[in-house]
Structures are given as structure tokens and as C-alpha cells.
Amino acid sequence: MNSSTPQKLLAEALGTALLMAVVIGSGVMAERLSGGNVAVALLANTLATVGGLYILIEVFGPLSGAHFNPAVSAVMAWRGELPLATLAPYVGAQLLGAMLGAWLSHAMFDMSILQFSTKLRGGTGQWIAEGVATFGLLLVILRAPGSRVAAMVAAYIGAAYWFTASTSFANPAAVFGRMFSDSFAGIAPSSALGFVVAELIGAAVAVGVHRLLSSPQSAGAASPSESTSARHV
Amino acid sequence: MNSSTPQKLLAEALGTALLMAVVIGSGVMAERLSGGNVAVALLANTLATVGGLYILIEVFGPLSGAHFNPAVSAVMAWRGELPLATLAPYVGAQLLGAMLGAWLSHAMFDMSILQFSTKLRGGTGQWIAEGVATFGLLLVILRAPGSRVAAMVAAYIGAAYWFTASTSFANPAAVFGRMFSDSFAGIAPSSALGFVVAELIGAAVAVGVHRLLSSPQSAGAASPSESTSARHV
Amino acid sequence: MNSSTPQKLLAEALGTALLMAVVIGSGVMAERLSGGNVAVALLANTLATVGGLYILIEVFGPLSGAHFNPAVSAVMAWRGELPLATLAPYVGAQLLGAMLGAWLSHAMFDMSILQFSTKLRGGTGQWIAEGVATFGLLLVILRAPGSRVAAMVAAYIGAAYWFTASTSFANPAAVFGRMFSDSFAGIAPSSALGFVVAELIGAAVAVGVHRLLSSPQSAGAASPSESTSARHV
Amino acid sequence: MNSSTPQKLLAEALGTALLMAVVIGSGVMAERLSGGNVAVALLANTLATVGGLYILIEVFGPLSGAHFNPAVSAVMAWRGELPLATLAPYVGAQLLGAMLGAWLSHAMFDMSILQFSTKLRGGTGQWIAEGVATFGLLLVILRAPGSRVAAMVAAYIGAAYWFTASTSFANPAAVFGRMFSDSFAGIAPSSALGFVVAELIGAAVAVGVHRLLSSPQSAGAASPSESTSARHV
């Protein structure tokens, strides 16, 4: 990670934009082609997301860490792996990228660029699901060996699209970007806050469980950066 | 594996819970969305299980060995790779985790938490299938190189969902957990014993075939822990 | 490969049996569940085969080379990588295993054990397809780096199920085993000879193209065993 | 890459032919079996392409670089990684291979060999999509570590089949080859120019973004061949 800060922010914005273009674009394509079979549509949406997420993390990981996700950036800042002063610019780049990615998918599918989702998502089950989804994502990120993190995050999200009742947004920037698309993958702006709160709680629980599993005797082996992060707690 | 015993038990319980949440949750989602096409539902259930199992073994393997399965723990204890005194706590953690995982999936999908499956599974073919499924799983675990075991177990279970007539439970803890869910992936409590007996027979046959393939001249190369396990036979 | 010859033959027979159980069993399951959508059935059949083939090559490769296929064994014997005296026993073990694997799948799915396929397969297109399928398989095997051969063969067969008009048997032992199953994956005995001849031609062409691509200046780099095999030509 | 130039051209022609046979052949198979569900057909087409592309890059990469794509060859020539004098022969081999691959798939599926697509593809959205698709492909190729490039390109194209409105041709040779097939994957000759222009623009933008992300301080780490290519700018 010898990139300059502007390069990192470009990587976060571009990566998040492409991630949103993959998620929303494949949802549009899947819905158009599936003839009303939602399971087939979600299968296609899942496979596209898994493939896209894998390569985006591999491509942008060496530049910016490939967070694409304010919850991940917040945890990394809390652990001391992201300078605190860089957190806000990272989140800004992710939110901007997410919105631009939604618009890019609309441009590709000849839809009106500016739109807002009308798909309500919420209720106890969905909020629990978003918490579980984000808990799992952060646990994977915190414990994955560096050389496998891209494959593991992609595989995890592929599973989470199906096993969580919310189809696993697990990312406040993704919630933000999907608000701008009245399509298969969208979420109504009025449903956004509940999802984001659930995600942040899930991320916090993951940090706690990670520490439980790591301290004290295995800390060195399982979590090489624990000592670094300890300075910030 | 420098983790303390409580950390290992937490890893087994949490990992088995998440595995059950993946298996049962994705089954619920798939059944709801598939419009009655069972093949599409099982495809989605399979892909979610493959992705989930892969990351759970990668994440929890360095902590507890990522058994999530009493048949695996029993074989490991018999081979001397798990202290005999730890076998019962491992199995207890797995069973507890499996039940909690079923309940977690119900909470996410707004279903009543406590329920029991009414899906009868059994008969000669299904029992043979469960034996074959568990035989294959143990053979993969006993012979996989450590760095590929997660990918290989996940790929194996993905295939076994389809080629065995029982959709490959291959895990007494999974049988236990799925008893608590009256959904796509469930199994009626009255059908549980037959499945578990078949699984244990399959596991025992795998141990025998593994020894046939390993002894005597290739023991060193193919099975580095054979000498350790020999002390316990 | 320090295994004794009986261990190698057991590995070939068991591996081929499990491969046939995967191919035929997943075909039966897919046909039963797919409600008449053949594309969905073949998708499931494909994914099960890809997963099964991957783990079978990883598991049995270090023991016997994991041929499971007389065309592969013949090429390896011709290249000097399999002793000529072992070729016939290898092929015998593969054919026996293939038949037993078909019977195992019937036992699991409560079908009558002994049956013969009535599915006619043939004609110019299908024969060309079988030749292309086996050409591709052998080219992959001859040129894959050892550490990736399992993943590459599995990925290749997954593609070949769809891009060849014959769904890519690419294996005379698979033709033999599938003759014994009157199900989705079967082939009528009267169609077998045409498929096997096409497969052997495809394999021979692959050996020729491999030599064209390897000789002379890149022989050392691309094909480390070329010098060994040269002694047998 | 110690191969002679004729070996490299054979590798490019054969690889591109097999790639087209996979893309077109699996499209024909999928359309025939899917009973009119286009999403299921595109899923099968996607999975076959992902598997085929992965093994073709692994097999032919060490010989010719496995471009199979004039846009890739042009970028490599511009970066100094392909001698300028070899560019035209590479492109010729790719175009010839693409046409022969289309014909091979027709031979396998008992279709008339010589045919031209009547499927019109175009409009602002599709052109933007082709630009985005090729931009992403080149960015992956320029930034992927060598040992993962095959898996990454395959995963990328799998995602791009779904998230781009054009199903991601991303390759002028693929446009050329698909003109010769009046089937699922075809493109009418009158639509070809728009696609090719969009692809070349996308490739050029990828080169620019790659330089933005690489220069100056991280050039050494992220792009080892930057210094080589710099001599040609």
C-alpha cells in the first residue's frame, strides 16, 4: 500500500462504483430475463456479485485495502489499520462511488439515471438478518489470511445473499447506492436507517467476538495486528 | 491451534450455528422464491452451503479444527488428533450450536422460533446414501492437504447434495439441528436415528479404506499423522 | 506415488466408481426435481460433476494419478508415465469401478440395480463433439501445472458438458458405466462404440497438438516429462 | 514464453477457436434445453464460459500470453510486452480462430456451417456497456498478479455477462466470430462496428486509469512492467 491518499480514494470510489454497478446491473438483467422466477433471478444476481466482488478486492486491495464499505473502514480505523484522519474521506469516496455506480448501471440499461427505490425493506427479521450478515462479513475480514481474503469475502457474500432474510446488504455504502435504483436490488430511502443501524451493531459484535477468539494466548498467531490495534483501544 | 479449550468450544458452537443458519436459512429463502421448482431451490441451497462451509472452515479451522460434526470429532479423537477428554465437550458444543443456528434462521425469517420438522426421511436407499455421503466426507477430510481442506470439503458437499438420495446431511449435529426446523432442510425427529447410524457406519468405513490406501509403504507420504494415530489404536 | 500396485488399482476403481455415482446420481436427482426443465437439470448435473471431479482428483491423484479414464491411462502409458504392464489392470479397474458406481447410484435412489440405458446418442455432430471433448480434456491434462490439474480438469468438464453437443463423456470408462443406467446420464450400449472411437481419436489428436506446441525449443519449460516420454516413442 | 512465433500464433488461433466454440456452443445447448427461460440459458452460458476461459488462459498463457483478443494484444504492444511486429499476426490468428471456432460449434450441433447472425445489438446503453465491460477486463488484466490472472479474468467475465447490458463481448475477435453464428450468442454484422469502437475506447480508458492508479510512487510495487512500457510511450 504505497499508494498516495488520492490514489486510495480513487480506488475506493471506483471500486465501490463498480461493485454497485455489478449488484444493481445484474439485478436488472436477471429480473428482465427470469420470466418472474425470483429464485433464478437471485441466483444470477448472486453469481455476478460473487465474481465481481472477488476481482474488485483482488484489483483494489493492494491500493486502498478494498473496503468499499464504511463499516469495514470504521473497524479498520478503530484497529489502527486506517489513519483516523482518512476515515471520513474513505467514507465519502465510498458513498459517492456507490451513487455513481447506480447511475452507471442505469445508463447501461437505458433507464432514467436519477431514480429512487420504492422497495420497502425492514421489520425485526430483516434487521436481525442485516446484523448477522454484517457480523459474518467482518468476522471473515478480521480472520481471513491475506492471500485468501478476496475469495473468502466473495464466497461469504454469495452464501449470505441466500441465508439472510435481507439478502445481505451488509454495507452502509451499498444501502446508500441502492436507494438510487428503483429495481431488483433497490431499497427505499425510508428503509435505509434501520438497515444501517443493524449493520453497525453487527460489525461491533464481530469485533467483540474476534477479540474473544483471539485473546490472550493465541493473539500473536491468529491476529498479527492485534498489538497495533491495542494502542488505539 | 494455540487457542484455549473454551475458545475452541466457542469456535465449534459458533461455527456449527452459522453452518445451520446457512443450510436452513438458504433453504427457506430458496423455497419461498423458487415458485415450486425444487431443483432451482436445491441449487440455491447448494451454492449457499458451499460458500458458507468454505469460509466457516477457513475461519474456524485455525481455532478448533472446524469439525462442526460429531462424526469428524470422533474420528479425530480415535486418531489421537483430538484429546479424548475433549470429545464430549466438542460434541456438546456442536449440538448446542446446531440448535441455536436453526433458531437464528427462524428469527431472521420471521418464523416461530421453536418448531419441529415433519419431513420424514428414510428407507434403504436414503440410509445407503447417508452412509456413502459420510464415507466420502471423511475420506476427503482424512486425505486432503491442509491448505485445500476447506475448498475440498465445500466442493464435496456441493456434489453430495445432488448425487446422494438423502441430499447428504453427513453430520449428526446437522441432523440434530435440522430436527428443529419445519422447512425445506428439515428432518422429522423420528427419522433422525436411522440417519445418524448410517453416518457413523459410513465414517467407520472411511477410516478403514483410508488405512488400506495408506499402509504400509506410503504411510509416511500420504498420511503424516498415521504414526501418531497408531499409538491410539 | 509410493503406493503399491494394488493400492493404485483400488484407488482407480474406487475413484471411478465414485465419479460414476456422482454423474449418474446427480442426473437422477436433477431429473426428478427439475419439473421437466432440462437446462436446470443439466446445470445441477454439471455443478455436481465439477465438485465431485475436483475432489476425486485431489484425493486419488497422489495415489494412482487419478486417471479414472482409459484414454488418459493409454496416453500416460504411451508417454512412459505409466508402466505398460500396468495399463491393462488400470483399465480393468476403471471399467469395473464404473459399473459398480452405476449400481451404487441405483441403490441410493431405490432403482433396480441392473438396467441398461435405452438413450441413443450418435450422429456426426455428437461424434465430432466427443472427439473435441476428449481432445480438450487431454490437452488440459498434458499441459496443466500439477498443482492446478484438479481444478482445471473440473472446470474444463463443467464447460464441456455445455459446449459439446454430446455433453462430453470424454471417457470410455464413463461410456461403459453409463450403459448400465437407464437414466438422465445413460447411453444405449448400441451407441457406445461410436463414442469410444471418437474419444480415442480426440485423445490422439491432443497428443499431436501438444507436441506441436512443445517442440523443440520450449520442450524443457512446458513439458518436463517430454524427455522421459521420448524414450518410448 | 520460450515458444517460437508459429507456436504462439497456433496457440492464439487454437485458444480463440476453443473460446468461441465454448461461448457459441454452450449458447446453442442452453437455448435448446432451457424451454424459453432466457435467464436459465444465460446462467448456463455464463458458467460454461467461466470454466472454459479459466482453463484456456491457464493452458495457453505460458505459450502466447493467452490474449485471444485484439484489444488485449494492442494494449500489450503499446506497453512493450508484445513486439509491435507481432501485433498484426496475433490479431490475424485471433480473427481466424474465432471464425473457425464458430464453425466448429455448428459442426458439433448439426447446424449449417456457414451462417450469419441476424441479432441486432446496439444503442447508447449497449455501447456504454461494451465500453465498461472492456474497461473492466483490461483493468483486471493490467493489475492481476500473474498467478491469479486466469481465475480473475474468468470471474470478471462471469460477472460482466450479467451486469453489462450487452452481456460483455469485450473482445473484437469475439464480435467477429459471433457474426458467423445465427444463434443465442450471435451479433449481426451491421452491429459489429459499434461494439468494436466501444471496446477500443473502454480499453484505452483502462490504460489511463491504470496509470493514474500506478504513478508515480507505487509504480514499482503495483506494476513491475511499467518501466518497460514507459520506454514505448
Side-chain angles (χ1 to χ4, degrees):
Chain A
M1 297 225 283
N2 294 315
S3 317
S4 66
T5 297
Q7 285 175 328
K8 289 181 186 190
L9 296 180
L10 174 60
E12 284 296 309
L14 185 56
T16 312
L18 289 172
L19 178 58
M20 279 300 97
V22 170
V23 168
I24 294 171
S26 66
V28 171
M29 178 76 97
E31 197 168 36
R32 286 189 184 174
L33 300 185
S34 65
N37 189 320
V38 187
V40 169
L42 188 57
L43 264 180
N45 191 215
T46 302
L47 293 175
T49 303
V50 167
L53 197 48
Y54 168 67
I55 64 100
L56 289 172
I57 296 175
E58 290 279 21
V59 163
F60 293 106
L63 291 165
S64 68
H67 300 173
F68 313 149
N69 186 337
V72 173
S73 295
V75 168
M76 292 303 163
W78 184 80
R79 288 169 59 84
E81 298 182 11
L82 184 74
L84 264 177
T86 316
L87 177 56
Y90 256 57
V91 172
Q94 291 157 358
L95 295 178
L96 179 68
M99 189 181 67
L100 294 175
W103 291 351
L104 177 60
S105 66
H106 299 159
M108 289 194 289
F109 285 94
D110 292 315
M111 300 158 69
S112 57
I113 302 297
L114 186 62
Q115 48 181 267
F116 295 95
S117 175
T118 57
K119 191 181 276 191
L120 295 172
R121 299 179 188 256
T124 312
Q126 300 242 340
W127 292 327
I128 295 173
E130 268 308 287
V132 170
T134 315
F135 164 78
L137 175 62
L138 266 293
L139 199 67
V140 166
I141 291 173
L142 289 170
R143 302 201 74 84
S147 66
R148 296 189 183 184
V149 69
M152 285 174 65
V153 166
Y156 172 74
I157 291 294
Y161 262 40
W162 285 91
F163 89 82
T164 66
S166 60
T167 69
S168 189
F169 286 50
N171 180 346
V175 172
F176 184 73
R178 293 178 182 213
M179 279 171 32
F180 292 93
S181 186
D182 195 17
S183 65
F184 188 74
I187 180 172
S190 63
S191 300
L193 183 63
F195 265 48
V196 171
V197 169
E199 289 163 4
L200 296 178
I201 293 173
V205 174
V207 171
V209 169
H210 173 59
R211 295 180 72 85
L212 263 184
L213 290 170
S214 303
S215 63
Q217 65 195 94
S218 70
S223 174
S225 58
E226 199 66 28
S227 57
T228 314
S229 114
R231 276 181 283 153
H232 294 80
V233 181
Chain B
M1 295 226 286
N2 293 315
S3 316
S4 66
T5 299
Q7 285 175 328
K8 289 180 186 190
L9 297 180
L10 174 58
E12 283 296 309
L14 185 57
T16 313
L18 290 172
L19 179 58
M20 280 299 97
V22 169
V23 169
I24 294 172
S26 65
V28 171
M29 178 76 97
E31 198 169 37
R32 286 189 183 173
L33 300 186
S34 65
N37 189 320
V38 187
V40 169
L42 188 58
L43 263 181
N45 191 215
T46 302
L47 293 175
T49 303
V50 167
L53 196 47
Y54 168 67
I55 64 100
L56 289 171
I57 296 175
E58 289 279 20
V59 163
F60 293 106
L63 292 166
S64 68
H67 300 174
F68 313 149
N69 185 337
V72 173
S73 295
V75 168
M76 292 303 162
W78 184 80
R79 288 169 60 83
E81 297 182 11
L82 183 74
L84 265 178
T86 317
L87 178 56
Y90 256 57
V91 173
Q94 290 158 0
L95 295 178
L96 180 68
M99 189 181 67
L100 294 174
W103 292 352
L104 177 61
S105 66
H106 299 158
M108 289 193 290
F109 284 93
D110 292 315
M111 300 158 69
S112 58
I113 302 297
L114 187 61
Q115 48 180 269
F116 296 94
S117 175
T118 57
K119 190 180 276 191
L120 295 173
R121 299 178 187 257
T124 311
Q126 300 242 338
W127 292 326
I128 295 173
E130 269 304 289
V132 170
T134 315
F135 164 79
L137 175 62
L138 266 293
L139 199 67
V140 167
I141 291 173
L142 290 170
R143 302 202 73 85
S147 66
R148 296 189 183 184
V149 69
M152 285 174 66
V153 166
Y156 172 74
I157 291 293
Y161 262 41
W162 285 92
F163 88 82
T164 66
S166 61
T167 68
S168 189
F169 286 51
N171 179 346
V175 172
F176 184 74
R178 293 178 184 212
M179 278 171 32
F180 291 93
S181 186
D182 196 16
S183 66
F184 187 74
I187 179 172
S190 64
S191 299
L193 184 63
F195 264 49
V196 170
V197 169
E199 289 163 3
L200 295 178
I201 293 173
V205 173
V207 171
V209 168
H210 173 59
R211 296 179 70 85
L212 264 184
L213 290 171
S214 302
S215 64
Q217 65 196 94
S218 70
S223 174
S225 58
E226 199 66 28
S227 56
T228 315
S229 115
R231 277 179 283 151
H232 293 81
V233 180
Chain C
M1 295 227 282
N2 293 315
S3 315
S4 65
T5 298
Q7 284 175 330
K8 290 180 186 191
L9 297 179
L10 174 58
E12 284 295 309
L14 184 56
T16 312
L18 289 172
L19 179 58
M20 280 299 97
V22 169
V23 169
I24 295 172
S26 66
V28 171
M29 177 75 98
E31 197 168 37
R32 286 189 183 174
L33 299 186
S34 65
N37 189 321
V38 187
V40 169
L42 187 58
L43 263 181
N45 191 216
T46 301
L47 293 175
T49 302
V50 168
L53 196 48
Y54 168 67
I55 65 100
L56 289 171
I57 297 175
E58 289 279 20
V59 163
F60 293 107
L63 292 165
S64 68
H67 301 173
F68 314 150
N69 186 335
V72 173
S73 296
V75 168
M76 291 303 163
W78 184 80
R79 287 168 60 83
E81 297 182 11
L82 184 74
L84 264 178
T86 316
L87 177 57
Y90 256 56
V91 172
Q94 291 158 0
L95 295 178
L96 180 67
M99 188 182 66
L100 293 175
W103 291 352
L104 177 60
S105 66
H106 299 158
M108 289 195 290
F109 284 94
D110 292 315
M111 299 157 70
S112 57
I113 302 297
L114 187 61
Q115 49 180 267
F116 295 94
S117 174
T118 57
K119 189 181 277 192
L120 296 172
R121 297 179 188 259
T124 311
Q126 300 242 337
W127 292 327
I128 295 172
E130 269 307 289
V132 170
T134 315
F135 164 78
L137 175 62
L138 266 293
L139 199 67
V140 167
I141 291 173
L142 290 170
R143 301 201 74 85
S147 66
R148 297 189 182 184
V149 69
M152 285 174 66
V153 167
Y156 172 75
I157 291 293
Y161 263 41
W162 285 90
F163 88 81
T164 67
S166 61
T167 70
S168 188
F169 286 51
N171 179 346
V175 172
F176 185 73
R178 293 178 182 212
M179 279 171 34
F180 291 94
S181 187
D182 195 17
S183 65
F184 187 75
I187 179 172
S190 63
S191 300
L193 184 61
F195 264 49
V196 170
V197 169
E199 289 163 4
L200 295 178
I201 293 173
V205 174
V207 171
V209 169
H210 173 58
R211 294 179 72 86
L212 264 185
L213 290 170
S214 303
S215 61
Q217 65 196 94
S218 70
S223 174
S225 59
E226 200 64 27
S227 57
T228 314
S229 115
R231 277 178 284 151
H232 294 80
V233 180
Chain D
M1 297 228 282
N2 294 313
S3 315
S4 65
T5 298
Q7 285 175 328
K8 290 180 187 192
L9 297 180
L10 175 59
E12 284 296 308
L14 185 56
T16 312
L18 289 171
L19 179 57
M20 280 300 98
V22 169
V23 169
I24 294 172
S26 66
V28 171
M29 177 75 98
E31 196 168 39
R32 287 189 183 173
L33 300 186
S34 65
N37 189 320
V38 187
V40 169
L42 188 58
L43 264 181
N45 191 215
T46 302
L47 293 174
T49 303
V50 167
L53 197 48
Y54 168 67
I55 64 100
L56 289 171
I57 297 174
E58 290 279 20
V59 163
F60 294 107
L63 292 165
S64 67
H67 300 174
F68 315 148
N69 187 337
V72 173
S73 295
V75 168
M76 293 302 164
W78 184 79
R79 288 169 60 82
E81 298 182 11
L82 184 74
L84 263 178
T86 317
L87 177 56
Y90 256 56
V91 172
Q94 291 158 359
L95 295 177
L96 179 67
M99 189 182 67
L100 294 175
W103 291 352
L104 177 60
S105 66
H106 299 158
M108 290 195 288
F109 285 95
D110 292 316
M111 299 157 70
S112 58
I113 302 298
L114 187 60
Q115 48 181 264
F116 295 94
S117 175
T118 56
K119 190 181 277 192
L120 295 173
R121 299 179 187 257
T124 312
Q126 299 242 340
W127 293 326
I128 295 173
E130 269 307 288
V132 170
T134 314
F135 164 78
L137 175 62
L138 265 293
L139 199 66
V140 167
I141 291 173
L142 290 170
R143 302 201 74 84
S147 66
R148 297 189 181 183
V149 69
M152 284 174 66
V153 167
Y156 172 75
I157 290 294
Y161 263 40
W162 285 91
F163 89 82
T164 65
S166 60
T167 70
S168 188
F169 286 50
N171 179 346
V175 172
F176 184 73
R178 293 178 182 210
M179 278 170 33
F180 291 93
S181 186
D182 195 17
S183 65
F184 188 74
I187 179 171
S190 63
S191 301
L193 184 63
F195 265 48
V196 170
V197 169
E199 290 163 3
L200 295 179
I201 293 172
V205 174
V207 171
V209 169
H210 172 60
R211 294 180 72 86
L212 263 185
L213 291 170
S214 303
S215 63
Q217 65 195 95
S218 71
S223 175
S225 58
E226 200 64 27
S227 57
T228 314
S229 114
R231 275 179 285 150
H232 293 80
V233 180

